[in-house]
Structures are given as C-alpha cells and as structure tokens.
DNA sequence: ACAATAAATGCACTTCTGTTGCATGATTCC
DNA sequence: GGAATCATGCAACAGAAGTGCATTTATTGT
C-alpha cells in the first residue's frame, strides 16, 4: 500500500499511471468494486483498459473476482500472503441487501462440507446476504 | 410428478401445454437447466414464453433459481415440502467442472456461519465446484 | 541517441443473457 | 355470446462481458 509501484513490480506488473490509480482506488475501498464503479471513479478512464487492468491484476494475484450473485463481477485486493495464484483463498463474502455493498470476510473461511460419495470438491463460493454492520447500526 | 396437471393447479398455475412440457422436462432432468437448455429441448418454443413460464413457476414455488457462477441462471424443481415461498431452502449446489452440470444437493443444508458483530444473515448461496459422481467414475 | 521491439491504451464493435412492450390468440367468467 | 382475463409470440432493448485493431507509450539493443 505504501509503495504501490514497488509492490506491483514485485508482482510482475508494470506500474503504469492507470494501474496505480486502480490499485490505490481498490486499496482505499473497504468494499468490493465493480468495473463500473471503477469507471465512474475516474472520469477519464476507458472501460476496456480498466477491464484489462483488472484481468492483469487477477492473473498476477493482486486482486480476486467476487461473484456475489448481483450479476456484476466485483473485485477486491487480495490479502497479504494470499495464495490466490496457487489455490483459491476460500473466504466467504457478505452482500448487504441494504447498502448493496459486498465485503470480503477474509478471516472467515468456508467450512469443509461433506459431500456424497463420488463428489470431489475443488473450489467453493459462499455468499451470505443480509444486513451489514454499518447498516444494522451496531 | 404423476399428475402434473393436478399438481400445477394446486399450486395455482394453469396447466397449459407449454407449461406441462417445461414441468415434465425439469421433472425428468437430474441436473439444473438453463433457459437455453429448455429452449433447445423444444424446437417450437419461444424464449419469452419459457422465460415467463419459469418466472411463474418461481413465484408459485414450483422451481427455484440457481446461480452457480457460470453466468447463466439455472432452474430446478423444488423438492416436495420445500418452503421456497416463505423462506429459502438453503441447500447447497454442486457444479461439475468436467460435465458442466449443476445439481441440487437438497440433503446438504448450508451450515450456520458465525459472522462478525453487526452482521445479520438473511440468505445464503453456497456452490461447490469440482468433479461430480458421474465424472469421477465412482 | 536512435531504431526496433514489445507492451499498454482507446475506440468501435460484437456477443450473450436477461428483460420489457405490445399485439395477438386462447381461456374463463358472467 | 361477449367481456374480461390470462397466455403466447415477435420484436426490440438493456447491461455487462469480451474481442479486434490501430495508435500511443515504454523498453530494449546497438
Ligand atoms: Mn474476497
Ligand atoms: Mn437447488
Ligand atoms: Zn449495508
Ligand atoms: Zn460431471
């Protein structure tokens, strides 16, 4: 976060102006953001460039996609030490029905689920929906 | 299943020819189906009619939607005694990365998850991805 | 410093899914 | 039978994701 340039270079991504803006925007965001969110955050940004920027970030395990069921893919920075590149970091996501924001609950891993014989789990997606802490006023 | 006409009338849905076809198609399906799947199953079917048929079925708790993360909404018949109308039946879904089919695991309910203070869960979606029993050859 | 090469960006366009408007056909109700 | 209601089919639209290609920007090698 402090040295975004260095961080990105370490990840093998050239720190262009646009990429740094996107990275900082996500770093300052407390909730996951859609491509449109990012597009609206920078008046002078092209959607395709942002799209490919996010894809690059994803390939290099800088961000991860979130499918919270709203129909729009969301993006959030990976946690420090996240091994997204090798395997999924199976934390759960929470979508607030009130403020419509989605957050990573990185401390809450998806529990192991017993499956019927013959089923082999490789990946999982758990999204809880309800009222977030901000909206529950508590 | 035996008396589809009667079943639908009991649910408050007029058993038209198209609706019966869709219902039977889903009843015979072992996996969840997309709108396109259903469209392709009946050469002479209009997409809009099928779309609204599924919506009607959903409103009357005959089918439930499944968002397995593939980008296409899937549909499956509700289980007998499912109280979809009142609240979600929080069973999990399994998507096979090999055959690309998605199944309801109605016997496997989503476990209760402890959330941070202030978060109130109202709904949940859990999708496991991997290899299904048919594809694991076991 | 300069040319050659590679990477990033911007614009236009396409595809795919879901959705709605509206006219027509069918069914139910009185 | 006629009015009213419901179901269907065609067309068109909307939103998001993704692709092609030309242009600009950065890197590399001499
Ligand atoms: Mn996350
Ligand atoms: Mn199901
Ligand atoms: Zn909220
Ligand atoms: Zn399979």
């Amino acid at each position: 976060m402090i040295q975004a340039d260095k961080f990105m270079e370490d990840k093998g991504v050239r720190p262009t102006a646009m990429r740094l803006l996107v990275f900082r925007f996500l770093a300052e965001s407390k909730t996951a953001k859609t491509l449109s969110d990012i597009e609206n955050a920078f008046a002078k940004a092209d959607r395709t460039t942002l799209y490919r920027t996010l894809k690059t970030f994803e390939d290099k395990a800088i961000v991860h996609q979130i499918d919270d069921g709203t129909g729009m893919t969301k993006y959030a920075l990976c946690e420090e030490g996240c091994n997204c590149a090798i395997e999924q970091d199976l934390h759960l996501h929470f979508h607030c029905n009130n403020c419509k924001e989605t957050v990573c609950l990185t401390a809450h891993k998806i529990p192991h689920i017993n499956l019927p014989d013959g089923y082999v789990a490789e990946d999982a997606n758990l999204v809880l929906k309800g009222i977030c802490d901000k909206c529950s006023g508590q």
Side-chain angles (χ1 to χ4, degrees), chain A residues 67-74:
Chain A
D67 177 3
D68 62 5
T70 57
M72 289 183 71
T73 305
K74 295 192 172 142

Side-chain angles (χ1 to χ4, degrees), chain A residues 64-66 76 91-93 103-106:
Chain A
H64 64 280
Q65 282 193 214
I66 300 161
H91 59 268
L92 66 93
H93 294 104
V103 293
C104 294
L105 296 179
T106 49

Side-chain angles (χ1 to χ4, degrees), chain A residues 17-65:
Chain A
M18 202 69 235
R19 285 172 177 176
L20 284 170
L21 281 177
V22 172
F23 180 83
R24 292 209 182 96
F25 176 72
L26 289 176
E28 289 162 10
S29 299
K30 288 187 173 61
T31 58
K33 299 299 174 194
T34 67
L35 180 55
S36 296
D37 289 337
I38 302 172
E39 198 184 353
N40 295 335
F42 312 110
K44 231 196 101 38
D46 179 73
R47 210 172 71 256
T48 308
T49 302
L50 296 175
Y51 173 76
R52 289 198 258 239
T53 293
L54 290 167
K55 196 172 213 175
T56 301
F57 282 4
E58 202 195 341
D59 290 344
K60 298 303 171 64
I62 295 173
V63 306
H64 64 280
Q65 282 193 214

Side-chain angles (χ1 to χ4, degrees), chain A residues 13 16 18 38 55 61 63 81-82 88 92 97 100 126 137-138:
Chain A
V13 174
T16 66
M18 202 69 235
I38 302 172
K55 196 172 213 175
V63 306
C82 160
Q88 280 275 102
L92 66 93
N97 291 326
K100 315 294 183 196
L126 173 57
Q138 203 256 86

